[in-house]
Coordinates of all heavy atoms in Angstrom, one line a residue:
M22 N 17.6 107.7 -13.7 CA 17.9 109.0 -14.2 C 17.2 109.2 -15.5 O 17.1 108.2 -16.4 CB 19.5 109.1 -14.5 CG 19.8 110.4 -15.1 SD 21.6 110.5 -15.3 CE 22.0 109.2 -16.4
K23 N 16.6 110.3 -15.7 CA 15.8 110.6 -16.9 C 16.3 112.0 -17.4 O 16.4 112.9 -16.7 CB 14.4 110.7 -16.6 CG 13.5 110.9 -17.8 CD 12.0 110.8 -17.4 CE 11.2 111.1 -18.6 NZ 9.8 111.2 -18.3
F24 N 16.5 112.0 -18.8 CA 16.8 113.3 -19.4 C 15.4 114.0 -19.7 O 14.7 113.6 -20.6 CB 17.6 113.1 -20.7 CG 18.8 112.3 -20.5 CD1 19.0 111.0 -21.0 CD2 19.9 112.9 -19.7 CE1 20.2 110.4 -20.7 CE2 21.1 112.2 -19.4 CZ 21.2 111.0 -20.0
T25 N 15.1 115.0 -18.9 CA 13.8 115.6 -19.0 C 13.7 116.8 -19.9 O 12.6 117.2 -20.3 CB 13.4 116.1 -17.5 OG1 14.5 116.9 -17.0 CG2 13.1 114.9 -16.7
D26 N 14.8 117.3 -20.4 CA 14.8 118.3 -21.4 C 16.1 118.3 -22.2 O 17.2 118.2 -21.6 CB 14.6 119.7 -20.8 CG 14.3 120.8 -21.8 OD1 13.8 120.5 -22.9 OD2 14.7 122.0 -21.5
V27 N 16.1 118.4 -23.5 CA 17.2 118.5 -24.3 C 17.0 119.7 -25.3 O 16.1 119.6 -26.1 CB 17.5 117.2 -25.1 CG1 18.8 117.4 -26.0 CG2 17.7 116.0 -24.2
R28 N 17.9 120.6 -25.2 CA 17.8 121.9 -26.0 C 18.9 121.9 -27.0 O 20.1 121.7 -26.6 CB 17.7 123.1 -25.3 CG 16.4 123.1 -24.4 CD 16.3 124.4 -23.6 NE 15.2 124.2 -22.7 CZ 14.3 125.2 -22.4 NH1 14.5 126.4 -22.9 NH2 13.3 125.0 -21.7
I29 N 18.7 122.2 -28.3 CA 19.7 122.2 -29.3 C 19.8 123.6 -29.9 O 18.8 124.2 -30.3 CB 19.3 121.2 -30.4 CG1 19.2 119.8 -29.9 CG2 20.4 121.3 -31.6 CD1 20.5 119.2 -29.4
R30 N 21.0 124.1 -30.1 CA 21.3 125.3 -30.8 C 22.2 125.0 -32.0 O 23.4 124.6 -31.8 CB 22.0 126.4 -29.9 CG 21.1 126.9 -28.8 CD 21.8 128.0 -28.0 NE 23.2 127.7 -27.6 CZ 23.5 127.1 -26.5 NH1 22.6 126.6 -25.7 NH2 24.8 126.9 -26.2
K31 N 21.6 124.9 -33.2 CA 22.4 124.5 -34.3 C 23.4 125.6 -34.7 O 23.1 126.8 -34.5 CB 21.5 124.2 -35.5 CG 20.7 122.9 -35.3 CD 20.1 122.4 -36.6 CE 19.5 121.0 -36.4 NZ 19.0 120.4 -37.6
V32 N 24.6 125.2 -35.3 CA 25.6 126.2 -35.7 C 25.6 126.2 -37.2 O 25.5 125.2 -37.9 CB 27.0 125.7 -35.2 CG1 28.1 126.5 -35.7 CG2 27.0 125.6 -33.7
D33 N 25.6 127.4 -37.8 CA 25.5 127.6 -39.2 C 26.8 127.9 -39.9 O 26.8 128.6 -40.9 CB 24.5 128.7 -39.5 CG 23.3 128.3 -40.3 OD1 23.3 127.1 -40.6 OD2 22.5 129.1 -40.5
K34 N 27.9 127.4 -39.4 CA 29.2 127.7 -40.0 C 29.7 126.5 -40.8 O 29.7 125.4 -40.4 CB 30.3 127.9 -38.9 CG 30.0 129.2 -38.0 CD 31.1 129.3 -37.0 CE 30.8 130.5 -36.0 NZ 31.7 130.6 -35.0
E35 N 30.1 126.8 -42.1 CA 30.5 125.8 -43.0 C 31.9 125.3 -42.8 O 32.3 124.2 -43.2 CB 30.2 126.2 -44.4 CG 28.8 126.4 -44.8 CD 28.6 126.9 -46.2 OE1 29.5 126.6 -47.0 OE2 27.5 127.4 -46.5
D36 N 32.7 126.1 -42.2 CA 34.2 125.8 -42.1 C 34.5 125.1 -40.8 O 35.7 125.0 -40.4 CB 35.0 127.1 -42.2 CG 34.6 128.1 -41.1 OD1 33.5 128.1 -40.6 OD2 35.5 129.0 -40.8
T37 N 33.5 124.5 -40.1 CA 33.8 123.8 -38.9 C 33.0 122.5 -38.8 O 32.0 122.4 -39.5 CB 33.4 124.7 -37.6 OG1 33.7 124.0 -36.4 CG2 31.9 125.1 -37.7
K38 N 33.5 121.6 -38.0 CA 32.8 120.3 -37.9 C 31.7 120.4 -36.8 O 30.9 119.5 -36.6 CB 33.8 119.2 -37.6 CG 34.7 118.9 -38.7 CD 35.7 117.8 -38.5 CE 36.6 117.6 -39.7 NZ 37.2 116.3 -39.7
L39 N 31.7 121.5 -36.0 CA 30.7 121.7 -35.0 C 29.4 121.9 -35.6 O 29.2 122.8 -36.5 CB 31.1 122.9 -34.1 CG 30.1 123.2 -33.0 CD1 30.1 122.1 -31.9 CD2 30.5 124.6 -32.3
R40 N 28.4 121.1 -35.3 CA 27.0 121.2 -35.9 C 26.0 121.8 -34.9 O 25.0 122.4 -35.4 CB 26.5 119.8 -36.3 CG 27.4 119.2 -37.4 CD 27.2 120.0 -38.7 NE 28.1 119.4 -39.7 CZ 29.2 120.0 -40.2 NH1 29.5 121.3 -39.8 NH2 29.9 119.5 -41.1
A41 N 26.2 121.7 -33.6 CA 25.3 122.2 -32.6 C 25.9 122.2 -31.3 O 26.9 121.5 -31.0 CB 24.0 121.4 -32.7
V42 N 25.2 122.9 -30.4 CA 25.5 122.9 -28.9 C 24.2 122.6 -28.2 O 23.2 123.1 -28.5 CB 26.1 124.3 -28.5 CG1 26.4 124.3 -27.0 CG2 27.4 124.6 -29.3
A43 N 24.3 121.7 -27.2 CA 23.2 121.2 -26.5 C 23.2 121.5 -25.0 O 24.3 121.6 -24.5 CB 23.0 119.7 -26.7
S44 N 22.1 121.6 -24.4 CA 21.9 121.7 -23.0 C 21.0 120.6 -22.6 O 19.9 120.4 -23.2 CB 21.3 123.0 -22.5 OG 22.2 124.0 -22.8
V45 N 21.3 119.8 -21.6 CA 20.5 118.6 -21.2 C 20.2 118.8 -19.7 O 21.0 119.0 -18.9 CB 21.3 117.3 -21.4 CG1 20.5 116.1 -20.9 CG2 21.6 117.1 -22.9
T46 N 18.9 118.7 -19.4 CA 18.4 118.7 -18.0 C 18.1 117.3 -17.6 O 17.5 116.5 -18.3 CB 17.1 119.5 -17.9 OG1 17.4 120.8 -18.4 CG2 16.7 119.6 -16.4
I47 N 18.6 116.9 -16.4 CA 18.5 115.6 -15.8 C 17.5 115.7 -14.6 O 17.7 116.5 -13.7 CB 19.8 115.0 -15.4 CG1 20.8 115.0 -16.6 CG2 19.7 113.7 -14.7 CD1 22.2 114.8 -16.2
D48 N 16.5 114.8 -14.7 CA 15.5 114.7 -13.6 C 14.9 116.0 -13.2 O 14.6 116.2 -12.0 CB 16.1 114.0 -12.4 CG 16.4 112.5 -12.7 OD1 15.7 111.9 -13.5 OD2 17.4 112.0 -12.1
D49 N 14.8 117.0 -14.1 CA 14.2 118.3 -13.8 C 15.0 119.0 -12.6 O 14.5 119.8 -12.0 CB 12.7 118.2 -13.4 CG 11.9 118.0 -14.6 OD1 12.2 118.6 -15.7 OD2 10.8 117.3 -14.5
S50 N 16.3 118.6 -12.4 CA 17.0 119.2 -11.3 C 18.5 119.5 -11.5 O 19.1 120.2 -10.7 CB 16.9 118.3 -10.1 OG 17.1 117.0 -10.3
F51 N 19.0 119.1 -12.6 CA 20.4 119.3 -12.9 C 20.6 119.5 -14.4 O 20.0 118.8 -15.2 CB 21.3 118.1 -12.4 CG 22.8 118.4 -12.5 CD1 23.4 119.1 -11.5 CD2 23.5 117.9 -13.6 CE1 24.7 119.3 -11.5 CE2 24.9 118.1 -13.6 CZ 25.5 118.8 -12.6
V52 N 21.4 120.5 -14.8 CA 21.5 120.8 -16.2 C 23.0 120.8 -16.6 O 23.9 121.2 -15.8 CB 20.9 122.1 -16.7 CG1 21.6 123.3 -16.0 CG2 20.9 122.3 -18.2
I53 N 23.3 120.3 -17.8 CA 24.7 120.3 -18.4 C 24.6 121.1 -19.6 O 23.8 120.8 -20.5 CB 25.2 118.9 -18.7 CG1 25.2 118.0 -17.4 CG2 26.6 119.0 -19.3 CD1 25.5 116.6 -17.7
H54 N 25.4 122.2 -19.7 CA 25.4 123.1 -20.9 C 26.6 122.8 -21.7 O 27.6 122.2 -21.2 CB 25.4 124.6 -20.4 CG 24.2 125.1 -19.8 ND1 23.0 125.2 -20.3 CD2 24.1 125.4 -18.5 CE1 22.1 125.7 -19.5 NE2 22.8 125.8 -18.3
D55 N 26.6 123.3 -22.9 CA 27.8 123.2 -23.8 C 28.2 121.8 -24.3 O 29.4 121.6 -24.4 CB 28.9 124.0 -23.3 CG 28.6 125.5 -23.1 OD1 27.8 126.0 -23.9 OD2 29.1 126.1 -22.2
I56 N 27.3 120.9 -24.4 CA 27.6 119.6 -25.0 C 27.6 119.9 -26.5 O 26.7 120.4 -27.1 CB 26.5 118.5 -24.6 CG1 26.5 118.3 -23.1 CG2 26.9 117.2 -25.4 CD1 25.4 117.5 -22.6
K57 N 28.7 119.5 -27.1 CA 28.9 119.8 -28.6 C 28.4 118.6 -29.4 O 28.8 117.4 -29.1 CB 30.3 120.1 -28.9 CG 30.8 121.4 -28.2 CD 32.3 121.5 -28.3 CE 32.8 122.6 -27.4 NZ 32.8 122.2 -25.9
V58 N 27.8 118.9 -30.5 CA 27.5 117.9 -31.6 C 28.5 118.1 -32.7 O 28.5 119.2 -33.3 CB 26.0 118.0 -32.1 CG1 25.7 116.9 -33.2 CG2 25.0 117.8 -30.9
I59 N 29.3 117.1 -33.0 CA 30.4 117.2 -33.9 C 30.2 116.2 -35.1 O 29.8 115.0 -34.8 CB 31.7 117.0 -33.2 CG1 31.8 118.1 -32.1 CG2 32.9 117.1 -34.2 CD1 33.1 118.0 -31.3
E60 N 30.5 116.7 -36.3 CA 30.5 115.8 -37.5 C 31.9 115.2 -37.6 O 32.8 115.9 -37.9 CB 30.1 116.6 -38.7 CG 30.1 115.8 -40.0 CD 28.8 114.9 -40.1 OE1 27.8 115.4 -39.8 OE2 28.9 113.7 -40.4
G61 N 32.0 113.9 -37.3 CA 33.2 113.1 -37.5 C 33.3 112.3 -38.7 O 32.3 112.3 -39.5
T62 N 34.3 111.6 -39.0 CA 34.5 110.8 -40.2 C 33.5 109.6 -40.2 O 33.1 109.2 -41.2 CB 35.9 110.2 -40.3 OG1 36.2 109.5 -39.1 CG2 36.9 111.4 -40.5
D63 N 33.0 109.2 -39.0 CA 32.1 108.1 -39.0 C 30.7 108.6 -38.6 O 29.8 107.8 -38.2 CB 32.5 107.1 -37.9 CG 33.8 106.4 -38.3 OD1 34.0 106.2 -39.5 OD2 34.6 106.0 -37.4
G64 N 30.4 109.9 -38.7 CA 29.1 110.4 -38.4 C 29.1 111.4 -37.2 O 30.2 111.8 -36.7
L65 N 27.9 111.6 -36.7 CA 27.8 112.6 -35.5 C 28.2 111.9 -34.2 O 28.0 110.7 -34.1 CB 26.4 113.1 -35.5 CG 25.9 113.9 -36.6 CD1 24.4 114.2 -36.5 CD2 26.6 115.2 -36.7
F66 N 28.8 112.7 -33.4 CA 29.1 112.3 -32.0 C 29.0 113.5 -31.1 O 29.0 114.6 -31.6 CB 30.4 111.6 -31.9 CG 31.6 112.4 -32.1 CD1 32.3 113.0 -31.0 CD2 32.1 112.6 -33.4 CE1 33.4 113.9 -31.2 CE2 33.2 113.4 -33.6 CZ 33.8 114.1 -32.5
I67 N 28.9 113.2 -29.8 CA 28.9 114.4 -28.8 C 30.2 114.5 -28.1 O 30.9 113.5 -27.9 CB 27.7 114.2 -27.8 CG1 27.9 113.0 -26.9 CG2 26.4 114.2 -28.5 CD1 27.0 113.0 -25.7
A68 N 30.5 115.7 -27.7 CA 31.7 115.9 -26.9 C 31.2 116.7 -25.6 O 30.5 117.7 -25.8 CB 32.7 116.8 -27.6
M69 N 31.7 116.3 -24.5 CA 31.2 116.9 -23.3 C 31.9 118.2 -23.1 O 33.0 118.5 -23.6 CB 31.5 115.9 -22.1 CG 30.7 114.7 -22.1 SD 28.9 114.9 -22.2 CE 28.7 115.5 -20.5
P70 N 31.3 119.1 -22.2 CA 32.0 120.4 -22.0 C 33.4 120.2 -21.4 O 33.6 119.3 -20.5 CB 31.0 121.1 -21.0 CG 30.1 120.1 -20.5 CD 30.1 119.0 -21.5
S71 N 34.3 121.0 -21.8 CA 35.7 120.8 -21.3 C 36.4 122.1 -21.2 O 35.9 123.1 -21.6 CB 36.5 119.9 -22.3 OG 36.5 120.5 -23.6
R72 N 37.6 122.0 -20.6 CA 38.4 123.2 -20.4 C 39.9 122.8 -20.7 O 40.2 121.7 -20.6 CB 38.4 123.8 -19.0 CG 38.8 122.8 -17.9 CD 38.8 123.5 -16.6 NE 39.0 122.5 -15.5 CZ 40.2 122.1 -15.1 NH1 41.3 122.6 -15.7 NH2 40.4 121.3 -14.1
K73 N 40.7 123.8 -21.1 CA 42.0 123.6 -21.5 C 42.9 123.7 -20.3 O 42.8 124.7 -19.6 CB 42.4 124.5 -22.6 CG 43.7 124.2 -23.3 CD 44.0 125.1 -24.5 CE 45.2 124.7 -25.2 NZ 45.5 125.6 -26.4
T74 N 43.8 122.7 -20.1 CA 44.7 122.8 -18.9 C 45.9 123.6 -19.3 O 46.2 123.9 -20.5 CB 45.1 121.4 -18.5 OG1 45.9 120.8 -19.5 CG2 44.0 120.5 -18.2
K75 N 46.8 123.9 -18.3 CA 48.0 124.6 -18.5 C 48.9 123.8 -19.5 O 49.8 124.4 -20.2 CB 48.8 124.8 -17.2 CG 48.0 125.8 -16.3 CD 48.8 125.9 -15.0 CE 48.0 126.8 -14.1 NZ 48.7 126.9 -12.7
E76 N 48.8 122.5 -19.5 CA 49.7 121.7 -20.4 C 49.1 121.6 -21.8 O 49.7 121.0 -22.7 CB 49.7 120.3 -19.8 CG 50.5 120.2 -18.5 CD 49.6 120.6 -17.3 OE1 48.4 120.5 -17.4 OE2 50.2 121.1 -16.3
G77 N 47.9 122.2 -22.0 CA 47.4 122.3 -23.4 C 46.4 121.1 -23.7 O 45.9 121.0 -24.8
E78 N 46.2 120.2 -22.6 CA 45.2 119.2 -22.8 C 43.8 119.7 -22.5 O 43.6 120.6 -21.8 CB 45.5 118.0 -21.9 CG 46.9 117.4 -22.1 CD 47.1 116.3 -21.0 OE1 46.5 116.3 -19.9 OE2 48.0 115.4 -21.3
Y79 N 42.8 119.0 -23.0 CA 41.4 119.3 -22.7 C 40.9 118.2 -21.8 O 41.0 117.1 -22.0 CB 40.5 119.4 -24.0 CG 40.8 120.6 -24.8 CD1 41.8 120.6 -25.8 CD2 40.1 121.7 -24.6 CE1 42.0 121.7 -26.6 CE2 40.3 122.9 -25.3 CZ 41.3 122.9 -26.3 OH 41.5 124.0 -27.0
K80 N 40.3 118.7 -20.7 CA 39.7 117.8 -19.7 C 38.2 118.1 -19.6 O 37.8 119.2 -19.5 CB 40.3 118.1 -18.3 CG 41.8 117.8 -18.2 CD 42.0 116.3 -18.1 CE 43.5 116.0 -17.9 NZ 43.7 114.6 -17.6
D81 N 37.4 117.0 -19.6 CA 35.9 117.2 -19.4 C 35.6 117.8 -18.1 O 36.2 117.4 -17.1 CB 35.3 115.8 -19.5 CG 35.2 115.3 -20.9 OD1 35.5 116.0 -21.9 OD2 34.9 114.1 -21.1
I82 N 34.7 118.7 -18.1 CA 34.2 119.3 -16.8 C 33.2 118.4 -16.2 O 33.1 118.2 -15.0 CB 33.6 120.7 -17.1 CG1 34.7 121.6 -17.6 CG2 32.9 121.3 -15.9 CD1 34.2 122.9 -18.2
A83 N 32.3 117.8 -17.0 CA 31.3 116.9 -16.5 C 31.2 115.8 -17.6 O 31.3 116.0 -18.8 CB 29.9 117.6 -16.4
H84 N 31.0 114.5 -17.1 CA 30.9 113.4 -18.1 C 30.2 112.2 -17.4 O 30.3 112.1 -16.2 CB 32.3 113.1 -18.6 CG 33.2 112.7 -17.6 ND1 33.4 111.4 -17.1 CD2 34.1 113.4 -16.9 CE1 34.3 111.3 -16.2 NE2 34.8 112.6 -16.0
P85 N 29.6 111.4 -18.2 CA 29.1 110.1 -17.7 C 30.2 109.2 -17.2 O 31.3 109.2 -17.7 CB 28.4 109.5 -18.9 CG 28.2 110.6 -19.9 CD 29.3 111.5 -19.6
I86 N 29.9 108.4 -16.1 CA 30.9 107.6 -15.5 C 31.0 106.2 -16.2 O 32.0 105.5 -16.2 CB 30.6 107.4 -14.0 CG1 30.8 108.8 -13.3 CG2 31.5 106.4 -13.4 CD1 30.5 108.7 -11.9
N87 N 29.9 105.8 -16.9 CA 29.9 104.5 -17.5 C 29.4 104.5 -18.9 O 28.8 105.5 -19.3 CB 29.1 103.5 -16.7 CG 27.7 103.8 -16.5 OD1 27.0 104.1 -17.5 ND2 27.2 103.9 -15.3
A88 N 29.7 103.5 -19.7 CA 29.4 103.5 -21.1 C 27.9 103.5 -21.4 O 27.4 104.1 -22.4 CB 30.0 102.2 -21.7
A89 N 27.1 102.8 -20.5 CA 25.6 102.8 -20.7 C 25.1 104.2 -20.6 O 24.2 104.6 -21.4 CB 25.0 101.9 -19.8
T90 N 25.5 105.0 -19.6 CA 24.9 106.3 -19.4 C 25.4 107.2 -20.5 O 24.7 108.1 -21.0 CB 25.4 106.9 -18.1 OG1 24.9 105.9 -17.0 CG2 24.8 108.2 -17.8
R91 N 26.7 107.1 -21.0 CA 27.2 107.9 -22.1 C 26.4 107.6 -23.3 O 26.0 108.5 -24.1 CB 28.6 107.6 -22.4 CG 29.2 108.4 -23.6 CD 30.7 108.2 -23.7 NE 31.4 108.8 -22.7 CZ 31.7 110.2 -22.7 NH1 31.3 110.9 -23.7 NH2 32.5 110.7 -21.7
Q92 N 26.0 106.4 -23.6 CA 25.2 106.0 -24.8 C 23.8 106.6 -24.7 O 23.3 107.1 -25.6 CB 25.1 104.5 -25.0 CG 24.5 104.1 -26.2 CD 25.3 104.6 -27.5 OE1 26.5 104.3 -27.6 NE2 24.6 105.3 -28.4
E93 N 23.2 106.5 -23.5 CA 21.9 107.2 -23.3 C 21.9 108.6 -23.5 O 21.0 109.2 -24.2 CB 21.4 106.9 -21.9 CG 20.9 105.5 -21.5 CD 20.5 105.4 -20.1 OE1 19.6 106.2 -19.7 OE2 20.9 104.5 -19.5
L94 N 22.9 109.3 -23.0 CA 23.1 110.8 -23.2 C 23.3 111.1 -24.7 O 22.7 112.0 -25.3 CB 24.2 111.3 -22.4 CG 24.5 112.8 -22.5 CD1 23.3 113.6 -22.1 CD2 25.7 113.2 -21.7
S95 N 24.2 110.3 -25.3 CA 24.4 110.5 -26.7 C 23.2 110.3 -27.6 O 22.9 111.2 -28.5 CB 25.5 109.6 -27.2 OG 25.8 109.7 -28.6
D96 N 22.5 109.3 -27.3 CA 21.2 109.0 -28.1 C 20.2 110.2 -27.9 O 19.6 110.6 -28.9 CB 20.6 107.7 -27.6 CG 21.4 106.5 -28.0 OD1 22.3 106.6 -28.9 OD2 21.1 105.4 -27.5
A97 N 20.0 110.7 -26.7 CA 19.1 111.8 -26.4 C 19.5 113.0 -27.1 O 18.7 113.7 -27.7 CB 19.0 112.0 -24.9
V98 N 20.8 113.4 -27.1 CA 21.3 114.6 -27.8 C 21.1 114.5 -29.3 O 20.6 115.3 -30.0 CB 22.7 115.0 -27.3 CG1 23.2 116.1 -28.2 CG2 22.7 115.3 -25.9
L99 N 21.6 113.4 -29.8 CA 21.6 113.2 -31.3 C 20.2 113.0 -31.8 O 19.9 113.6 -32.9 CB 22.5 112.0 -31.7 CG 23.9 112.2 -31.4 CD1 24.7 110.9 -31.8 CD2 24.5 113.4 -32.1
N100 N 19.3 112.4 -31.1 CA 17.9 112.4 -31.5 C 17.3 113.8 -31.5 O 16.5 114.1 -32.4 CB 17.0 111.5 -30.6 CG 17.4 110.0 -30.8 OD1 17.9 109.6 -31.9 ND2 17.1 109.2 -29.8
A101 N 17.6 114.6 -30.5 CA 17.0 115.9 -30.4 C 17.7 116.8 -31.6 O 16.9 117.6 -32.2 CB 17.4 116.6 -29.1
Y102 N 18.9 116.5 -31.9 CA 19.5 117.2 -33.0 C 18.8 116.9 -34.3 O 18.6 117.8 -35.1 CB 21.0 116.9 -33.1 CG 21.7 117.4 -34.3 CD1 22.1 118.8 -34.4 CD2 21.9 116.6 -35.5 CE1 22.7 119.3 -35.5 CE2 22.5 117.2 -36.6 CZ 22.9 118.5 -36.6 OH 23.5 119.0 -37.7
Q103 N 18.5 115.6 -34.6 CA 17.9 115.2 -35.8 C 16.5 115.8 -36.0 O 16.1 116.1 -37.1 CB 17.8 113.7 -35.9 CG 19.2 113.0 -35.8 CD 20.0 113.3 -37.1 OE1 19.5 113.7 -38.1 NE2 21.3 113.0 -37.0
T104 N 15.8 116.0 -34.9 CA 14.4 116.5 -35.0 C 14.4 118.1 -34.8 O 13.3 118.6 -35.0 CB 13.5 115.9 -33.9 OG1 14.0 116.2 -32.6 CG2 13.4 114.4 -34.1
A105 N 15.5 118.7 -34.5 CA 15.5 120.2 -34.3 C 15.4 120.8 -35.7 O 15.9 120.3 -36.7 CB 16.8 120.6 -33.7
E106 N 14.7 122.0 -35.7 CA 14.6 122.8 -37.0 C 15.8 123.7 -37.2 O 16.4 124.2 -36.3 CB 13.3 123.5 -36.9 CG 12.1 122.6 -36.9 CD 10.8 123.4 -36.8 OE1 10.8 124.6 -37.0 OE2 9.8 122.7 -36.6

């Protein structure tokens, strides 16, 4: 699996921890929109697109199945964020 395109839309709001929203294309054939780049207490991290359930919980709509793939995706998004203007 290869991340063939990572697009970053930076957020300019000072009152939120949200720093950007990303779209990632995988193998030039599948795209995931609305991956959030968030400023946490230990630095930047990504949050996968999610929806709120009737019980008030948030459930990921799409997400990596294993830790290695999650790390690859996180690295790709955060690297693109760091180099985005």
